Amino acid sequence: MPSPIYVATSNPGKLRDFRGAASKVGVEVRPLPDFKNIPLAIEDGQTFEQNARIKAEYYSRFLPGELVLADDSGLAVDTLNGAPGVHSARYAALVEVAEASHQNSDDEENNRVLIQQLEGLPEKQRWGKFVCVIAAAKDGVTLQVFGGEVRGKLLTVARGNQGFGYDPLFYFPLLDKTFAEISAEQKAEYSHRGKAFRGFLEWLEESGDRVIG
């Protein structure tokens, strides 16, 4: 049986996404053991890749000899100059307090702030993309990074309850649904995180025993 893949997150939505992508190839995804008791990594990078590397390298030190994944992902809205960007998880705090914060805001707060910023824009200016970068690390060293993006239109009324984060506002025209209205398997097929994770799986298949075991 293949070795499990450990992911440095306690976010049930992210774990659902990863497991949805891994289920088709028989790979088991597990959260990093005792993750809730590990001090949080300080995500002070300026890009998604920098933050993914920071987290993967930091958390992999808590599970010696094992391959650990960490992702940094977020929403980049065209007319907001790429915001929320790397601040997606703490966007409400950043906008309303007007200073950088390492504490995440809850999804409802982030969505509310984003809707306020979108409401004054015509529909044709409400396009953006989800971005995900996954870093794979072992013993504090990043071995490889993988990226994925998907474009969609941002809504000002939430739809669906299957996803997390900005999913209820992210309308994907190909399916005529938001990311919160589709299954984990569908999301894995089309989403930014699914694309990045498939890149990881391809690399893992090519690398084999050199990175696992």
Side-chain angles (χ1 to χ4, degrees):
M1 183 176 178
S3 299
I5 301 302
Y6 293 96
V7 180
T9 185
S10 60
N11 184 318
K14 285 190 176 184
L15 287 170
R16 177 176 177 266
D17 284 359
F18 281 122
R19 286 169 173 156
S23 62
K24 292 184 179 181
V25 292
V27 173
E28 182 185 5
V29 171
R30 297 179 184 175
L32 193 71
D34 205 31
F35 183 81
K36 64 181 180 180
N37 292 320
I38 298 174
L40 294 177
I42 301 300
E43 302 175 41
D44 55 3
Q46 299 301 305
T47 66
F48 292 112
E49 179 174 335
Q50 288 174 353
N51 281 333
R53 285 176 175 268
I54 287 169
K55 290 188 282 188
E57 292 172 5
Y58 172 76
Y59 290 115
S60 67
R61 295 186 178 99
F62 292 90
L63 198 61
E66 297 287 351
L67 191 65
V68 174
L69 302 186
D71 90 309
D72 198 52
S73 53
L75 178 68
V77 180
D78 297 348
T79 53
L80 298 180
N81 297 315
V86 295
H87 305 293
S88 291
R90 45 192 180 277
Y91 193 49
L94 180 68
V95 170
E96 297 184 335
V97 181
E99 63 181 36
S101 170
H102 294 299
Q103 296 296 317
N104 291 349
S105 307
D106 68 35
D107 291 348
E108 288 186 5
E109 291 174 340
N110 287 329
N111 286 340
R112 174 179 53 79
V113 168
L114 181 63
I115 288 171
Q116 289 173 350
Q117 295 182 318
L118 293 173
E119 282 180 332
L121 299 175
E123 277 195 36
K124 64 181 180 180
Q125 294 183 21
R126 295 178 186 171
W127 286 85
K129 62 183 179 180
F130 270 134
V131 180
C132 175
V133 177
I134 295 172
K138 181 183 283 191
D139 298 325
V141 177
T142 294
L143 303 181
Q144 190 60 272
V145 296
F146 314 89
E149 297 183 358
V150 61
R151 288 190 61 79
K153 181 182 288 186
L154 282 307
L155 306 180
T156 54
V157 177
R159 284 172 37 183
N161 56 14
Q162 298 294 319
F164 71 104
Y166 299 98
D167 285 352
L169 302 180
F170 190 84
Y171 173 76
F172 188 54
L174 183 63
L175 297 180
D176 191 28
K177 293 180 179 180
T178 70
F179 269 10
E181 295 177 301
I182 60 179
S183 68
E185 291 74 23
Q186 283 180 305
K187 192 177 178 187
E189 183 175 352
Y190 295 105
S191 77
H192 53 311
R193 189 168 292 110
K195 291 177 181 179
F197 192 67
R198 283 195 296 277
F200 161 73
L201 291 174
E202 291 171 4
W203 171 79
L204 185 64
E205 184 176 3
E206 294 171 359
S207 303
D209 293 339
R210 291 188 287 121
V211 296
I212 288 189

